Amino acid sequence: MAVTYSSTRRGVAVLAGLLLLSLGSVATSQFEEQAEQFFRSGHTNNWAVLVCTSRFWFNYRHVANTLSVYRSVKRLGIPDSHIVLMLADDMACNPRNPKPATVFSHKNMELNVYGDDVEVDYRSYEVTVENFLRVLTGRIPPSTPRSKRLLSDDRSNILIYMTGHGGNGFLKFQDSEEITNIELADAFEQMWQKRRYNELLFIIDTCQGASMYERFYSPNIMALASSQVGEDSLSHQPDPAIGVHLMDRYTFYVLEFLEEINPASQTNMNDLFQVCPKSLCVSTPGHRTDLFQRDPKNVLITDFFGSVRKVEITTETISLQPDLGVLESRDKEDWMDEELIESLKYAEQLPVAQIIHQKPKLKDWHPPGGFILGLWALIIMVFFKTYGIKHMKFIF
Amino acid sequence: MAAAVRLAALVLLLRGPGGWGRAEPPRDSLREELVITPLPSGDVAATFQFRTRWDSELQREEVSHYRLFPKALGQLISKYSLRELHLSLTQGFWRTRYWGPPFLQAPSGAELWVWFQDTVTDVDTSWKELSNVLSGIFCASLNFIDSTNTVTPTASFKPLGLANDTDHHFLRYAVLPREVVCTENLTPWKKLLPCSSKAGLSMLLKAERLFHTSYHSQAVHIRPICRNARCTSISWELRQTLSVVFDAFVTGQGKKDWSLFRMFSRTLTEPCPLASESRVYVDITSYSQDNETLEMNPPPLSTYQDVILGTQRTYAVYDLFDTAVINSSRNLNLQLKWRRPPENGYIHYQPAQDRLQPHLLEMLIQLPASSVTKVSIQFERALLKWTEYTPDPNHGFYVSPSVLSALVPSMVAAKPVDWEESPLFSSLFPVSDSSSYFLRLYTEPLLVNLPTPDFSMPYNVICLTCTVVAVCYGSFYNLLTRTFHIEEPRTGGLAKRLANLIRRARGVPPL
């Protein structure tokens, strides 16, 4: 605080300043701490977009990956209304699933990540590159229901998790199309321009996953991938009863890491970066933090995986109106009797006589279309060219 | 206090119908019901129905207070001016042949049919928007419903609720057969129930058991119904139904004993406090006669008889609001056990071995009176070697007739016969028991037309191959080994030619 005083009052001023400084330092440090606590990350709500892009039974592990992140995110507080879950195929009720309505992440059926309370927003054929980009950028057709929209604002922290089969610079959707890292980077830039996120955490578990975040250029994005370019991400353990690999290694260890997090824990991102060393994962997980403004060690896991709730505790009592119950409405009906004289009746389900005698609806007459018009024009032109107008009187 | 309330009510009434405003919310009531039907094949069908009736005219009043009727659906009705909505999501197929007729069947996949009010101007736009909204509510891909899979039936699908006129222009019907039903569809369906899955019959709705079934169908039906017997005003009825069929083999390990815990892995503890009625019905029609008896534990306190789907049926009723039903341990686990006389059946089967022995199947069956019993067996004929065929294989192959040896109860008791004294025709079979007589019957032999190999094939192949070889190889051989000479054409008149002919005939060299 550089303050200048006139020389005459310098002594008093300096003394006063020193006093203020000493008093203020105690107070400001307390407020600063509180303020810093409050505005640590600057977000007020959390969203999650979880995408599984693979179809077919042998890609069970990708659905299990996505569902385990969904489960952790729900457990740490993000409600279903703030999660957009996209699963490209149905594994739980697949006829090949020996235990229907379950998706397991650990062998011997230890943990059912599908649960009893799951809401899938985009499923089966709806998981396409177009729908994914529309969800991210918000350019959705107006009739889309709320549960399928990402209604984030500039104070939202968004977690985006993607898993499936990928390669150097692309991620495959349902074995029929791909999304490239450039498209993804551009989508994030659109989100930034529209102020659709405060901070974004992007996690990808595919082969050569690090290639997907190479091209990001928007600020406030932190990215994690399960393998570097040129490496494959491997699957974890098969279950002999179900017959497929249940999870991918990286997400398996991420799930185990997240199972120990609770909404109040102070674990930060540096711990997440260490989650799957090469000895366990075989591939080398990578991360990218250069676009992120805060230091990863100051970023809590719950900033992205949990949900911020600012709670105000009040001690005053609030009185609720007692429920008067429902008054007898029988008299009301007698009163209204005079309005509706004719009584209503149920329709006959199969009125044979009426059906037989109903006339089929006449199709509306449409003027002839272009082809028919053109054909007739050609015929008439040829006719007149052949016979000439002046010969018409011989014909007619 | 009561007098003051009554006065207030009277005052409200006198104000007239236009001034109801926020006077009181329209009444709504909930009834929940579970019907357990043991099926003839040994499986068990369970049908849940949750009916919320709301005495409100949504079209006329501005409603903002929702109690039992779910707000999501109430807002749909008013926004899209619906008259009726029927949505079902089904996995599996109801096998009428083995299970009998269903209460309410639904097609596999998703089915949505809607009647709009006649105030709707653009039905197709409302239909498209409605299917999008429903896809969000029920987590199903109903947004794939568009003009390519929507039809307007003209004769079927009349309104199931009150209807004054039925102009089919306001009806739309679509089916998505590829739609999968799983927990994500059950979750929002359960959340529409007033008691969610916390109390009452909805506590039994656990996804892990409900999807491990041969047939799973969940549906939502909304329609207007008569509010009272005079039918002068409308109430809205929301029925949520869930039908499942538990497979005796898969979940029952082959035994026919069922209990609520076995089926749902839960028992009932209390009725839904918001419901006015909460009952469990068990179909005991087929088990009150015959030798076979159905034992219900706990025994039912009342029964209900009615004509359902054309036949007289009896149901055991358990009313959850009746404190005697839920016992001292505060849970109700209905158990169904079959007690039947010991089956004296016998089956012996000896499979065939190729070229060694044939199939042998012997069964001892007790045939019920006035019934038809069909026994069928599928078999395959092994492929014969070409030398094993008869010279006339197109005639077919014979399967030996089956033998039926029966002990038929006789109307009149037979006297024991003396073999030497009585006529020969009465002593063909020895009679041991005078109440029945022995009979041996045979079925027709079976003549099966089997695909016959083409026996002329080897001959044709040899001919063709030899021709080809002769033409190709022979031509090459000729070209390579023969030498060609040029022959001088013979000149001469007609006489010389004739003479040469004669000389050639004689064997003499020509001129």
Side-chain angles (χ1 to χ4, degrees):
Chain A
M1 285 193 291
V3 182
T4 54
Y5 288 101
S6 60
S7 53
T8 52
R9 290 186 196 167
R10 197 180 248 171
V12 179
V14 166
L15 204 62
L18 274 169
L19 269 169
L20 268 168
L21 203 62
S22 59
L23 269 170
S25 64
V26 175
T28 46
S29 64
Q30 202 179 354
F31 286 134
E32 260 174 34
E33 229 176 84
Q34 274 183 342
E36 198 193 322
Q37 189 97 11
F38 199 75
F39 292 114
R40 241 159 123 180
S41 75
H43 71 281
T44 57
N45 57 78
N46 286 78
W47 285 81
V49 178
L50 311 171
V51 185
C52 160
T53 59
S54 300
R55 178 164 276 277
F56 306 124
W57 173 246
F58 49 83
N59 290 322
Y60 182 102
R61 58 189 188 280
H62 296 140
V63 172
N65 289 349
T66 317
L67 285 172
S68 51
V69 177
Y70 173 79
R71 171 207 149 76
S72 309
V73 144
K74 258 181 95 157
R75 200 175 53 80
L76 293 173
I78 303 187
D80 270 312
S81 52
H82 282 224
I83 303 177
V84 178
L85 178 61
M86 304 172 77
L87 297 180
D89 201 357
D90 167 54
M91 298 302 165
C93 289
N94 195 310
R96 291 170 80 161
N97 192 348
K99 288 213 67 172
T102 58
V103 174
F104 292 107
S105 59
H106 289 62
K107 69 174 181 207
N108 299 326
M109 303 186 186
E110 278 167 25
L111 180 59
N112 174 17
V113 288
Y114 194 58
D116 215 13
D117 192 25
V118 59
E119 286 183 21
V120 181
D121 302 305
Y122 286 86
R123 61 182 202 162
S124 190
Y125 299 125
E126 294 173 293
V127 178
T128 57
V129 174
E130 184 191 336
N131 281 344
F132 175 61
L133 292 177
R134 282 186 185 279
V135 164
L136 285 185
T137 55
R139 293 156 67 175
I140 287 189
S143 51
T144 318
R146 268 187 90 95
S147 57
K148 289 183 169 174
R149 293 179 190 241
L150 179 65
L151 299 164
S152 56
D153 53 30
D154 64 325
R155 290 263 146 258
S156 308
N157 272 12
I158 307 184
L159 164 71
I160 297 184
Y161 176 85
M162 301 183 77
T163 182
H165 287 289
N168 189 355
F170 68 91
L171 170 62
K172 201 167 65 149
F173 266 70
Q174 293 214 37
D175 217 12
S176 66
E177 47 182 6
E178 300 98 32
I179 185 172
T180 57
N181 47 6
I182 302 171
E183 284 176 350
L184 196 58
D186 287 342
F188 287 161
E189 177 64 16
Q190 280 193 50
M191 288 174 79
W192 175 251
Q193 297 283 343
K194 291 186 189 184
R195 300 284 177 264
R196 277 170 70 78
Y197 69 91
N198 174 43
E199 284 170 347
L200 204 138
L201 175 63
F202 176 76
I203 305 181
I204 185 160
D205 188 347
T206 64
C207 302
Q208 309 193 50
S211 63
M212 289 304 285
Y213 62 62
E214 274 173 2
R215 301 293 198 122
F216 291 168
Y217 55 93
S218 319
N220 286 354
I221 301 186
M222 192 187 314
L224 281 104
S226 59
S227 56
Q228 302 293 331
V229 175
E231 283 180 349
D232 286 337
S233 289
L234 302 176
S235 54
H236 190 64
Q237 38 176 232
D239 181 299
I242 300 178
V244 284
H245 285 266
L246 295 180
M247 286 272 272
D248 278 329
R249 283 177 189 246
Y250 181 69
T251 312
F252 181 81
Y253 291 108
V254 167
L255 172 66
E256 298 218 314
F257 172 78
L258 288 174
E259 286 288 300
E260 273 144 46
I261 308 278
N262 56 58
S265 71
Q266 301 290 307
T267 331
N268 58 38
M269 278 296 164
N270 276 341
D271 301 325
L272 189 58
F273 295 156
Q274 312 303 326
V275 151
C276 202
K278 200 168 161 99
S279 56
L280 286 172
C281 256
V282 185
S283 57
T284 320
H287 54 90
R288 179 180 176 177
T289 53
D290 56 315
L291 296 164
F292 207 72
Q293 276 165 13
R294 293 190 287 149
D295 192 343
K297 74 172 191 299
N298 291 335
V299 180
L300 297 178
I301 298 285
T302 50
D303 279 351
F304 289 102
F305 286 88
S307 187
V308 173
R309 288 276 182 269
K310 297 279 186 278
V311 178
E312 267 184 42
I313 303 186
T314 175
T315 48
E316 62 175 67
T317 48
I318 299 170
S319 56
L320 300 165
Q321 294 289 342
D323 187 18
L324 287 170
V326 180
L327 296 169
E328 284 299 320
S329 56
R330 240 172 278 142
D331 303 328
K332 186 163 75 148
E333 278 167 24
D334 287 331
W335 183 259
M336 287 173 77
D337 218 283
E338 322 201 348
E339 289 189 45
L340 298 155
I341 305 167
E342 28 115 12
S343 71
L344 310 152
K345 56 186 191 309
Y346 292 104
E348 219 186 294
Q349 287 302 299
L350 207 60
V352 176
Q354 186 194 337
I355 293 172
I356 292 173
H357 292 113
Q358 74 184 357
K359 288 194 194 25
K361 212 167 79 82
L362 289 165
K363 283 189 65 159
D364 300 328
W365 180 81
H366 296 287
F371 177 72
I372 303 287
L373 265 178
L375 194 65
W376 276 108
L378 186 67
I379 292 171
I380 290 172
M381 211 176 65
V382 166
F383 181 79
F384 282 125
K385 269 228 157 17
T386 324
Y387 293 107
I389 307 267
K390 55 184 187 293
H391 296 292
M392 291 303 286
K393 59 180 190 287
F394 295 115
I395 297 164
F396 293 106
Chain B
M1 181 60 198
V5 170
R6 220 167 278 132
L7 190 66
L10 201 59
V11 166
L12 279 167
L13 282 170
L14 288 172
R15 266 174 60 200
W20 298 124
R22 273 183 261 119
E24 76 280 337
R27 350 158 29 138
D28 45 15
S29 63
L30 169 71
R31 282 173 58 181
E32 50 179 29
E33 166 188 291
L34 165 62
V35 180
I36 298 180
T37 317
L39 297 169
S41 56
D43 309 323
V44 164
T47 308
F48 290 85
Q49 277 206 56
F50 300 91
R51 188 196 100 155
T52 307
R53 194 186 98 163
W54 196 23
D55 299 336
S56 142
E57 309 231 15
L58 274 170
Q59 254 57 40
R60 281 200 239 165
E61 299 163 10
E62 280 295 314
V63 181
S64 55
H65 180 83
Y66 291 88
R67 198 176 141 251
L68 295 178
F69 200 92
K71 179 173 168 180
L73 297 179
Q75 286 182 331
L76 267 187
I77 300 175
S78 41
K79 178 160 185 215
Y80 294 107
S81 305
L82 299 180
R83 192 156 67 174
E84 281 192 24
L85 180 128
H86 301 272
L87 168 67
S88 73
L89 290 160
T90 312
Q91 167 203 48
F93 183 68
W94 181 275
R95 301 180 186 283
T96 314
R97 222 159 52 121
Y98 301 113
W99 297 342
F103 287 126
L104 183 69
Q105 196 184 358
S108 196
E111 184 202 41
L112 174 67
W113 58 280
V114 172
W115 272 93
F116 290 91
Q117 299 275 353
D118 32 8
T119 52
V120 173
T121 45
D122 190 350
V123 181
D124 291 312
T125 313
S126 300
W127 169 250
K128 184 90 187 102
E129 285 178 22
L130 177 67
S131 43
N132 275 315
V133 171
L134 286 172
S135 88
I137 297 178
F138 291 102
C139 292
S141 309
L142 298 175
N143 48 320
F144 284 136
I145 291 178
D146 56 11
S147 61
T148 58
N149 46 27
T150 306
V151 290
T152 307
T154 55
S156 189
F157 291 102
K158 299 277 183 204
L160 287 172
L162 292 172
N164 275 339
D165 62 335
T166 56
D167 181 3
H168 280 257
H169 171 65
F170 295 102
L171 167 66
R172 291 289 182 274
Y173 175 89
V175 167
L176 295 172
R178 181 68 162 105
E179 207 51 36
V180 170
V181 191
C182 208
T183 313
E184 66 246 23
N185 306 110
L186 186 65
T187 308
W189 189 94
K190 278 198 291 194
K191 287 186 182 164
L192 293 174
L193 297 171
C195 273
S196 192
S197 49
K198 309 279 194 297
L201 292 175
S202 45
M203 271 180 59
L204 298 176
L205 301 174
K206 286 295 157 207
E208 273 186 353
R209 305 298 299 166
L210 288 179
F211 287 102
H212 205 40
T213 51
S214 319
Y215 176 80
H216 173 108
S217 173
Q218 61 194 57
V220 170
H221 301 279
I222 302 177
R223 59 177 180 168
I225 57 169
C226 293
R227 198 178 292 193
N228 51 19
R230 273 170 308 167
C231 212
T232 46
S233 45
I234 289 179
S235 287
W236 285 95
E237 180 194 72
L238 164 68
R239 276 193 199 224
Q240 289 181 253
T241 63
L242 188 103
S243 298
V244 286
V245 173
F246 291 99
D247 196 325
F249 184 72
V250 171
T251 41
Q253 288 101 41
K255 288 185 284 195
K256 274 170 68 174
D257 296 334
W258 291 103
S259 71
L260 283 185
F261 188 78
R262 184 63 137 359
M263 291 193 271
F264 302 106
S265 69
R266 291 279 183 288
T267 56
L268 292 167
T269 54
E270 50 164 348
C272 175
L274 298 170
S276 57
E277 225 180 82
S278 182
R279 295 214 179 119
V280 179
Y281 292 87
V282 182
D283 186 348
I284 53 175
T285 321
S286 0
Y287 305 98
S288 24
Q289 46 272 51
D290 302 37
N291 296 335
E292 198 181 342
T293 50
L294 179 66
E295 187 190 313
M296 301 271 325
N297 179 20
L301 297 170
S302 56
T303 56
Y304 170 73
Q305 291 212 356
D306 201 357
V307 178
I308 308 283
L309 293 169
T311 51
Q312 179 83 14
R313 305 201 86 92
T314 314
Y315 292 89
V317 183
Y318 294 87
D319 192 343
L320 292 179
F321 277 110
D322 191 354
T323 44
V325 168
I326 295 187
N327 61 13
S328 53
S329 63
R330 291 198 35 82
N331 75 344
L332 172 65
N333 183 17
L334 281 172
Q335 283 165 329
L336 289 78
K337 283 202 198 63
W338 272 253
R339 267 191 297 118
R340 48 160 27 148
E343 252 178 58
N344 41 6
Y346 168 79
I347 290 187
H348 172 241
Y349 175 63
Q350 194 182 60
Q353 284 180 301
D354 280 353
R355 302 179 182 86
L356 275 181
Q357 65 188 22
H359 289 286
L360 170 65
L361 174 64
E362 275 188 276
M363 290 190 300
L364 177 66
I365 328 171
Q366 203 163 34
L367 298 177
S370 310
S371 66
V372 175
T373 305
K374 281 193 191 158
V375 177
S376 62
I377 179 168
Q378 286 180 328
F379 63 94
E380 274 180 19
R381 220 67 216 189
L383 206 57
L384 293 178
K385 299 180 182 165
W386 69 293
T387 46
E388 292 170 347
Y389 280 93
T390 55
D392 58 345
N394 295 305
H395 180 75
F397 292 90
Y398 283 93
V399 176
S400 41
S402 312
V403 186
L404 179 67
S405 314
L407 210 56
V408 185
S410 110
M411 304 272 227
V412 180
K415 298 194 303 287
V417 287
D418 182 5
W419 280 43
E420 297 308 315
E421 296 290 328
S422 47
L424 295 172
F425 60 78
S426 63
S427 58
L428 280 167
F429 293 108
V431 170
S432 53
D433 179 12
S434 59
S435 64
S436 56
Y437 61 93
F438 182 76
L439 192 61
R440 183 167 279 146
L441 302 171
Y442 292 86
T443 64
E444 292 171 24
L446 194 59
L447 181 60
V448 180
N449 220 336
L450 293 173
T452 316
D454 183 3
F455 292 107
S456 62
M457 187 268 282
Y459 168 75
N460 292 337
V461 168
I462 292 169
C463 282
L464 189 68
T465 318
C466 289
T467 310
V468 168
V469 165
V471 168
C472 297
Y473 175 68
S475 317
F476 272 113
Y477 181 78
N478 283 335
L479 283 169
L480 290 170
T481 55
R482 291 231 183 129
T483 54
F484 293 93
H485 305 282
I486 299 176
E487 207 178 85
E488 297 289 321
R490 258 183 257 177
T491 53
L494 181 63
K496 199 172 178 193
R497 263 189 269 142
L498 272 170
N500 275 336
L501 261 169
I502 297 170
R503 286 174 84 94
R504 215 170 345 143
R506 282 172 57 202
V508 171
L511 295 167

